[in-house]
């Protein structure tokens, strides 16, 4: 699952996840918003990348009142949610390279994003050349601003029309004008500094933007806010990621010792609870096929299906980390079965109201699962090792322009420290006795040792922050 955005700012706003490919979900982009006022907003935008078999159905339970939500009538006759009739975020513009095609997968669809110099906008195509189905994302933007397939050189303009086939004789039939020579184009738009696309190349949706636009997030275009955006591909499903975002109660425990979390002192609980968890009053105001609205203490939360979760005021922390707990939870829920989520889970407090509301929404409008169209969902893949599960490089760094630049700079500095260390040792070793005082020798040797130690520390810092950082909850 790729998560595209989460923004902390004066209000909290979460764009919820959207699937990408079958057995794994796609979108987790954390956007951080900071405002001059104290209230914060989080925005999380997610796009499902892969199908997952994590299914659940909520049954009535006398143990909790949070299941009695507005709109929670019998499933029969309810409208079905169409997962392929909504806008999905693909990537923040800041992480796209105008010089080269960019590959993405959302709702099991392989797409390529590229900058159309002729039209001055981002285009989204099916990532297949009509010639021999080679991925267009492996190609290039040629000197004339066309998307060129790197396999045989076929070139396409922003409308998907084939403009040039090198192998076609110049005096022969204009085969490049045939309809079958065209690349499939998805409707797309840049909004809120994010590229969105409509997951259908059917001509009837060519002008869908005139009828329906992606969810608009005013804070992202408000100059009084600042934001940072990024992408994270996490190895678990859409359902689990959304639950995680809608669950403020887990933050002081699951993230204890991992991130700085404001602690609410409750004198009566100080002797029994170190982390400072407290009761959270959450009530669901409305729930329908478009999502739900929840009231929470001094603010509210809003789920705009399928990809936006908005929370105001800010939750305790910006949740953009990956935990092995989420993967373990997903597998256990999958083992329980598609219709037994609430029978297996005991959710008696109002802090779980949004999680229950989401499960009710998923059951009522989508039969407990993401509809992957013609793709087979299969079963959950084997749990990957921790190094892969909590990988930072492939899941985030390679997709983040700022992280790539930072990593390159730190690696260069690491090599510089090693060169200085070796050079100073060489100078000390080569200097003849009497040509260098003992104090100078000690100074050179000490500098060499310090540079070496600094390079080792920097190497560890780079690995921990850009590749893999393990942790054990028991020691936090």
């Amino acid at each position: 699952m790729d998560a595209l955005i989460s923004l902390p700012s004066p209000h909290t706003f979460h764009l919820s996840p959207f699937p990408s490919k079958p057995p794994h979900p796609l979108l987790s982009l954390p956007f951080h918003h900071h405002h001059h006022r104290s209230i914060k907003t989080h925005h999380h935008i997610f796009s499902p990348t892969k199908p997952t078999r994590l299914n659940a159905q909520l049954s009535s339970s006398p143990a909790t009142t949070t299941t009695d939500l507005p709109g929670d009538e019998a499933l029969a006759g309810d409208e079905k949610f169409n997962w392929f009739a909504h806008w999905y975020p693909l990537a923040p513009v800041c992480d796209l390279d105008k010089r080269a095609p960019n590959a993405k997968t959302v709702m099991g669809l392989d797409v390529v994003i590229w900058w159309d110099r002729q039209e001055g906008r981002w285009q989204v195509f099916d990532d297949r050349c009509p010639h021999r189905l080679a991925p267009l994302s492996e190609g290039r933007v040629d000197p004339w601003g066309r998307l060129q397939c790197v396999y045989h050189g076929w070139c396409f303009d922003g409308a998907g029309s084939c403009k040039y086939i090198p192998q076609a004789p110049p005096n022969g039939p204009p085969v490049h004008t045939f309809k079958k020579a065209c690349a499939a184009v998805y409707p797309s738009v840049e909004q809120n500094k994010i590229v969105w696309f409509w997951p259908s190349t059917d001509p009837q949706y060519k002008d869908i933007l005139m009828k329906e636009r992606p969810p608009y997030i005013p804070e992202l275009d408000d100059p009084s806010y600042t934001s940072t955006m990024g992408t994270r591909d996490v190895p678990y499903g859409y359902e689990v990621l959304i639950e995680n975002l809608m669950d403020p109660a887990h933050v002081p425990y699951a993230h204890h010792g991992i991130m700085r979390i404001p602690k609410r002192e409750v004198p009566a609980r100080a002797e029994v609870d170190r982390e400072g968890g407290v009761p959270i009053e959450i009530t669901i105001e409305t729930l329908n096929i478009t999502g739900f609205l929840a009231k929470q203490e001094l603010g509210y939360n809003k789920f705009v299906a399928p990809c936006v979760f908005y929370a105001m005021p800010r939750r305790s922390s910006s949740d953009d980390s990956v935990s092995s707990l989420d993967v373990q939870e997903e597998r256990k829920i999958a083992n329980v079965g598609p219709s037994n989520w609430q029978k297996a889970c005991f959710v008696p407090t109002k802090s779980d109201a949004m999680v229950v509301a989401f499960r009710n929404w998923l059951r009522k409008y989508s039969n407990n699962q993401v509809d992957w169209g013609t793709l087979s969902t299969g079963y959950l893949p084997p749990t990957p090792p921790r190094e892969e599960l909590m990988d930072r490089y492939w899941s985030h760094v390679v997709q983040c322009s700022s992280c790539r630049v930072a990593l390159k700079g730190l690696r260069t500095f690491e090599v510089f420290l090693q060169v200085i260390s070796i050079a100073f040792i060489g100078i000390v070793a080569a200097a003849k006795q009497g040509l260098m005082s003992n104090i100078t020798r000690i100074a050179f040797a000490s500098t060499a040792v310090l540079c070496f130690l600094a390079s080792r520390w920097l190497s560890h810092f780079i690995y921990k922050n850009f590749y893999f950082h393990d942790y054990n909850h028991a020691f936090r």
Side-chain angles (χ1 to χ4, degrees):
M1 160 78 59
D2 280 344
L4 183 62
I5 309 170
S6 82
L7 312 166
S9 67
H11 313 278
T12 299
F13 195 95
H14 294 286
L15 308 182
S16 74
F18 41 90
S20 60
K21 297 177 188 168
H24 287 306
L26 170 75
L27 173 58
S28 164
L29 302 186
F31 296 104
H32 297 284
H33 240 18
H34 298 285
H35 194 269
H36 63 277
R37 292 177 288 178
S38 59
I39 304 180
K40 305 275 185 173
T41 64
H42 287 245
H43 315 262
H44 284 300
I45 302 179
F46 303 89
S47 54
T49 56
K50 311 164 191 170
T52 175
R53 282 301 296 270
L54 195 161
N55 302 325
Q57 181 172 357
L58 305 184
S59 61
S60 59
S61 170
T64 174
T65 59
T66 58
T67 57
D68 302 324
L69 302 171
D72 188 29
E73 296 85 12
L75 182 62
D78 280 338
E79 184 181 357
K80 185 177 180 181
F81 186 80
N82 186 349
W83 291 84
F84 289 87
H86 294 273
W87 289 95
Y88 288 88
L90 284 173
V93 172
C94 62
D95 284 339
L96 296 175
D97 189 341
K98 290 184 178 181
R99 301 169 301 172
N102 303 264
K104 297 292 178 182
T105 303
V106 175
M107 288 300 297
L109 302 173
D110 293 324
V111 303
V112 56
I113 313 170
W114 66 284
W115 179 252
D116 181 1
R117 293 206 306 264
Q118 302 298 325
E119 297 295 327
R121 65 184 300 269
W122 294 101
Q123 304 285 4
V124 179
F125 286 10
D126 183 17
D127 197 10
R128 295 184 300 176
C129 178
H131 177 214
R132 298 268 292 279
L133 309 185
L136 292 172
S137 58
E138 295 293 330
R140 61 178 67 90
V141 179
D142 74 7
W144 295 271
R146 305 170 300 191
L147 179 61
Q148 183 186 71
C149 177
V150 77
Y151 198 13
H152 292 92
W154 288 33
C155 298
F156 306 90
D157 65 12
S161 300
C162 184
K163 308 306 291 184
Y164 180 58
I165 297 179
Q167 296 77 25
N171 298 323
V175 292
H176 70 280
T177 63
F178 291 9
K179 185 177 180 180
K180 291 193 68 174
C182 296
V185 182
Y186 290 98
S188 61
V189 64
E190 180 183 334
Q191 178 175 289
N192 291 136
K193 308 179 187 74
I194 302 164
V195 175
W196 300 72
F197 92 119
W198 186 271
S200 176
T201 58
D202 191 311
Q204 67 173 310
Y205 296 111
K206 180 180 179 181
D207 298 318
I208 187 64
L209 189 63
M210 305 297 292
K211 303 174 183 178
E212 182 178 345
R213 295 190 66 87
Y216 182 66
I217 305 159
E219 288 87 348
L220 285 174
D221 290 334
D222 187 339
S224 65
Y225 290 76
T226 59
S227 64
T228 58
M229 301 188 183
T231 307
R232 187 84 186 257
D233 190 356
V234 292
Y236 50 82
Y238 165 83
E239 301 96 319
V240 170
L241 183 55
I242 283 202
E243 285 187 6
N244 180 278
L245 295 171
M246 294 181 177
D247 176 20
H250 84 279
V251 174
Y253 301 96
H255 298 279
H256 175 73
I258 300 171
M259 58 177 61
R260 285 180 288 184
I261 303 169
K263 187 173 181 180
R264 298 172 63 177
E265 297 293 340
V266 182
R269 296 175 175 235
E271 297 181 0
V272 296
D273 184 28
R274 176 189 62 175
E275 289 79 11
V278 296
I280 301 175
E281 290 285 330
I282 301 176
T283 57
I284 306 302
E285 301 287 311
T286 59
L287 186 151
N288 54 44
I289 195 170
T290 65
F292 62 78
L293 179 67
K295 185 178 180 181
Q296 177 182 343
E297 297 179 332
L298 300 178
Y300 67 91
N301 305 274
K302 181 168 61 175
F303 169 52
V304 182
C307 296
V308 176
F309 180 57
Y310 184 100
M312 172 188 175
R314 183 181 180 221
R315 299 189 313 167
S316 299
S317 75
S318 156
D319 194 354
D320 59 356
S321 62
V322 176
S323 170
S324 61
L325 295 175
D326 297 303
V327 177
Q328 295 166 13
E329 176 190 5
E330 177 180 34
R331 194 165 297 280
K332 290 178 180 177
I333 294 175
N335 290 336
V336 166
S339 61
N340 296 312
W341 181 87
Q342 191 168 356
K343 291 179 180 178
C345 300
F346 181 52
V347 285
T349 68
K350 291 185 177 181
S351 65
D352 292 314
M354 285 190 289
V355 173
V356 175
F358 169 69
R359 285 291 175 178
N360 279 344
W361 177 87
L362 194 65
R363 171 187 59 80
K364 185 176 180 182
Y365 299 110
S366 194
N367 194 30
N368 300 307
Q369 60 188 343
V370 175
D371 180 4
W372 297 97
T374 59
L375 292 173
S376 172
T377 57
Y379 293 94
L380 290 175
T383 301
R386 292 177 69 86
E387 289 78 6
E388 180 181 343
L389 177 63
M390 294 184 286
D391 161 75
R392 297 186 174 193
Y393 183 78
W394 292 108
S395 68
H396 172 69
V397 175
V398 295
Q399 305 180 71
C400 178
S401 56
S402 58
C403 285
R404 291 197 304 269
V405 171
L407 177 59
K408 183 178 180 180
L410 290 173
R411 281 296 189 200
T412 301
F413 187 53
E414 179 188 4
V415 172
F416 172 76
L417 290 173
Q418 293 170 353
V419 170
I420 293 297
S421 178
I422 294 173
F424 274 48
I425 291 176
I427 291 173
V428 172
K432 295 182 180 179
Q433 190 69 27
L435 294 179
M436 182 181 294
S437 67
N438 288 335
I439 294 178
T440 303
R441 284 179 178 274
I442 293 173
F444 273 52
S446 298
T447 301
V449 171
L450 289 175
C451 286
F452 174 76
L453 293 176
S455 72
R456 300 310 303 156
W457 177 89
L458 184 57
S459 176
H460 176 71
F461 176 85
I462 291 172
Y463 182 75
K464 184 175 69 173
N465 286 278
F466 294 93
Y467 290 92
F468 170 71
H469 184 196
D470 196 7
Y471 60 86
N472 188 327
H473 284 285
F475 300 108
R476 294 289 177 176

